[in-house]
Amino acid sequence: MNLADILTYSIVIGGVLAMIYIGWSYARGLKESPRDMWFLFLYKFIEYSAYGAINMVIVLWLQRDCGLSDVVAGEYIAVWSMALSVMAMIAGALVDTIGIKKTLFISILFLLISRFFSAFITNPVLVAILGFIPLTIGFAIVGPLVSVAIKRYTTKEGAALGFGLFYVIMNLAYAVGGVAFDWFRNTFVARDAAGKIINENFGATIFGMHFSTYQLMFVFGFGATIISLLAILLIRDGVAVKNGKVVVEPLPDRGSGMNAIKSAAKDTGTLIYNVAREKYFWIFIGMIALTIPVRTIFYHFHYTFPAYGIRVLGEGAKIGNIYGVLNPVLIIFLVPLVASFTKKISSYKMMVIGSIVSSLSCFIVLIPTEAFSSWTNSVLGELVFLRWLGMAETMTELAANPPVPEYWPLIVFITIFTVGEAIWSPRLMQFTAEVAPKGKEGSYIALSVLPYFAAKMIVGPMSGFLQKIYTPKDAAGNVLPAPEHYMVWFWIGAVAVLTPIGLLLFKRVFDHTQERKEEMDRETDEAIARARAAEAAKAEGENQEG
């Protein structure tokens, strides 16, 4: 057994033991929650696993199967991403209106429609109608629905554990999706006589029908959704935890699902109108908007990186593992570690530090690959290319068919980015809740997605233009030499650094906003106290008259 084997076994055993401990800790802390919560988490794990794989393949599918150009595919993604945000805003109200189980069925129905037709159709118009619109409705419901359900299924003390487990399961599911993404791309392929992958989208014939590799991922998603349907059949409506006990209350009759959707949309419109009239709200939105540049890196990982990875690293490259597995697995362990050591540091400082790390990580790709040339034949190279990515059985075999040198800058880049993410991302959620005024937290947090509309309008087309310019293909679809491919991440990084710069330039605004928020909270407390005093005086007067 060599050093690489020892390190591999140590990492795997340590990771498994850590996950067992994490799972046991959550299970023990959530023992008072109903069984319905665990079925809900099963549904979430299945759906996010399918989404993790499908989300990475969407751009590739639009380009290779649907015949869209890089730019048009990016525009499709932009519109779809914005629609996801719109639907997510009314999903919470929908759950309140018709209940968890019925909302879950709506989600499942639209996901089945989307994944069924996406496995067959390639016409761009039909893809939009039968693929993207149902997917938008079906998946946008999942996140807000699970958040509402966790609050109902946990005690006040257990809520933090419930949301912590939500985060862990989401990242585990994304990791599974990344593995599935690479498995399909490595299994249903065309190879040359030497065994090298020459077309990862070759696909397979099932029941006399040919599906491309990318279409098969939608078949996988359809099957996953059928399984998640079985899970939600076991969930009861009206279940909640009250005073430490599980209760089942009948839901009020509020009409049909369509009336509920209309009501939710109307309530959301009223909410936006009332809150948008407040000056403080726009200051709040402006501060959230400062974090948008660094967050765009996430969108590029989902919609730029898959095509970029294939064009730079080659057909069959393990791009699902490089981002879809490495990032979420590291996040699971890094977030609690970072939180334990930095709990006394303000959210603002953590956002500045983390955004600096994440944004500057993009420029690692610009480092000449020669700087990493010795890594491939080292113990680290054996761990990465043999034990993790499985690109060869032995180092001799790897040396005979070495990986392209661009692997190393990308792996280091994503690792450093994830460290930064673990620093700033949880604190952004905390900061959003901290600066929202008392009594309006729900409204402000729900509307904090508004700045992302502008980001999504930019990221989709930007993704397409960057691919077209720096990793081009000819008219026949063949990948052309891309000597300046690294410029893709230069421009993404150039946008991302606007976040730490903005946070530092507007520090006084952050300080003033915190002071104004505390002042508003005091005014709210005083108003509540006056109202209660008035009610008490009125009640006392009525008693005296009686």
Side-chain angles (χ1 to χ4, degrees):
M1 182 179 294
N2 60 23
L3 180 58
D5 290 326
I6 294 173
L7 291 173
T8 300
Y9 288 127
S10 299
I11 293 171
V12 172
I13 293 173
V16 170
L17 291 176
M19 285 306 304
I20 291 173
Y21 175 76
I22 291 172
W24 176 77
S25 299
Y26 282 123
R28 184 181 61 175
L30 296 169
K31 61 183 179 180
E32 294 180 343
S33 295
R35 67 175 188 271
D36 308 77
M37 186 182 72
W38 302 105
F39 292 129
L40 182 76
F41 279 145
L42 176 60
Y43 157 81
K44 172 185 169 64
F45 177 78
I46 295 170
E47 283 306 324
Y48 271 78
S49 296
Y51 180 75
I54 290 174
N55 199 36
M56 294 190 74
V57 82
I58 283 180
V59 169
L60 300 173
W61 170 67
L62 287 173
Q63 294 171 345
R64 298 276 286 270
D65 289 298
C66 302
L68 300 184
S69 67
D70 293 341
V71 175
V72 176
E75 292 170 349
Y76 256 68
I77 291 298
V79 174
W80 172 62
S81 297
M82 289 187 288
L84 273 176
S85 298
V86 173
M87 189 62 207
M89 289 173 61
I90 69 171
L94 185 61
V95 176
D96 289 338
T97 305
I98 67 175
I100 292 172
K101 191 167 186 174
K102 289 180 181 178
T103 308
L104 282 169
F105 277 121
I106 292 174
S107 171
I108 291 289
L109 173 62
F110 282 102
L111 287 173
L112 287 174
I113 292 172
S114 170
R115 289 167 182 169
F116 176 83
F117 285 106
S118 296
F120 292 95
I121 60 176
T122 56
N123 179 280
V125 176
L126 294 179
V127 161
I129 297 172
L130 299 175
F132 277 94
I133 292 176
L135 179 62
T136 299
I137 299 172
F139 190 76
I141 292 173
V142 177
L145 182 148
V146 176
S147 297
V148 172
I150 290 173
K151 186 175 181 180
R152 294 184 184 179
Y153 291 161
T154 57
T155 61
K156 184 177 181 180
E157 297 77 17
L161 286 173
F163 283 102
L165 186 56
F166 173 103
Y167 195 73
V168 170
I169 290 176
M170 180 179 69
N171 280 281
L172 280 176
Y174 278 140
V176 170
V179 172
F181 176 74
D182 279 349
W183 183 84
F184 275 91
R185 295 173 49 251
N186 190 60
T187 303
F188 303 100
V189 299
R191 301 177 185 269
D192 61 17
K196 181 181 178 181
I197 296 175
I198 56 175
N199 181 11
E200 67 170 46
N201 198 33
F202 184 74
T205 299
I206 302 175
F207 300 120
M209 298 187 62
H210 183 79
F211 296 90
S212 72
T213 303
Y214 301 153
Q215 288 175 318
L216 285 173
M217 291 191 200
F218 289 102
V219 176
F220 161 72
F222 183 85
T225 305
I226 292 293
I227 297 174
S228 64
L229 173 61
L230 300 178
I232 67 171
L233 290 174
L234 301 173
I235 295 176
R236 298 166 293 175
D237 251 334
V239 174
V241 175
K242 292 188 176 181
N243 300 320
K245 294 183 179 180
V246 177
V247 298
V248 181
E249 301 174 338
L251 292 174
D253 184 8
R254 294 182 177 177
S256 67
M258 185 53 65
N259 288 334
I261 294 174
K262 291 179 180 178
S263 175
K266 182 179 179 181
D267 291 344
T268 301
T270 302
L271 179 151
I272 293 174
Y273 175 74
N274 291 333
V275 173
R277 297 169 65 186
E278 302 175 4
K279 179 180 178 181
Y280 180 83
F281 169 74
W282 292 107
I283 298 175
F284 169 84
I285 288 297
M287 290 188 298
I288 299 299
L290 289 175
T291 68
I292 294 300
V294 76
R295 286 184 63 89
T296 60
I297 301 176
F298 286 117
Y299 302 134
H300 284 293
F301 275 136
H302 290 146
Y303 307 126
T304 306
F305 183 67
Y308 171 90
I310 292 173
R311 296 180 189 184
V312 172
L313 303 179
E315 292 279 327
K318 298 295 184 71
I319 53 178
N321 274 267
I322 295 173
Y323 173 71
V325 175
L326 179 61
N327 174 264
V329 169
L330 287 177
I331 280 293
I332 290 172
F333 297 105
L334 285 175
V335 166
L337 186 65
V338 170
S340 65
F341 284 104
T342 62
K343 53 189 175 184
K344 293 184 179 181
I345 302 177
S346 70
S347 296
Y348 170 80
K349 290 182 180 178
M350 293 295 286
M351 287 163 58
V352 171
I353 295 170
S355 62
I356 289 174
V357 174
S358 287
S359 58
L360 293 183
S361 68
C362 295
F363 299 102
I364 291 174
V365 182
L366 277 66
I367 298 175
T369 55
E370 291 78 12
F372 306 94
S373 59
S374 63
W375 291 20
T376 300
N377 295 320
S378 66
V379 172
L380 182 59
E382 187 173 350
L383 284 173
V384 170
F385 295 116
L386 271 61
R387 304 294 186 269
W388 174 29
L389 299 180
M391 296 178 65
E393 294 293 331
T394 64
M395 291 299 288
T396 302
E397 184 181 334
L398 185 71
N401 187 22
V404 296
E406 283 78 10
Y407 268 99
W408 285 117
L410 288 172
I411 291 173
V412 176
F413 155 42
I414 292 170
T415 301
I416 301 301
F417 168 83
T418 304
V419 172
E421 178 193 348
I423 296 172
W424 69 262
S425 187
R427 288 306 189 94
L428 174 58
M429 292 185 285
Q430 180 180 340
F431 174 79
T432 304
E434 286 174 348
V435 299
K438 183 178 292 186
K440 298 181 181 180
E441 293 92 345
S443 300
Y444 272 64
I445 292 172
L447 293 174
S448 66
V449 302
L450 290 176
Y452 300 120
F453 282 94
K456 290 176 178 179
M457 288 176 64
I458 295 171
V459 169
M462 180 181 177
S463 173
F465 278 115
L466 289 176
Q467 292 177 56
K468 179 181 179 180
I469 295 171
Y470 297 113
T471 58
K473 301 176 77 172
D474 62 20
N478 300 310
V479 177
L480 299 174
E484 296 185 337
H485 63 84
Y486 51 82
M487 291 299 295
V488 169
W489 299 105
F490 171 83
W491 290 112
I492 293 172
V495 171
V497 295
L498 295 177
T499 289
I501 292 172
L503 292 175
L504 291 171
L505 289 177
F506 289 92
K507 184 180 185 302
R508 289 186 179 181
V509 177
F510 279 78
D511 294 338
H512 175 72
T513 301
Q514 189 65 38
E515 294 171 359
R516 176 57 183 148
K517 190 262 183 183
E518 293 172 356
E519 181 182 337
M520 293 171 66
D521 287 349
R522 285 194 297 270
E523 293 173 353
T524 300
D525 289 339
E526 291 170 0
I528 293 174
R530 288 194 298 269
R532 289 176 176 173
E535 290 178 0
K538 181 179 179 181
E540 184 177 351
E542 292 175 350
N543 290 334
Q544 290 177 352
E545 291 177 1

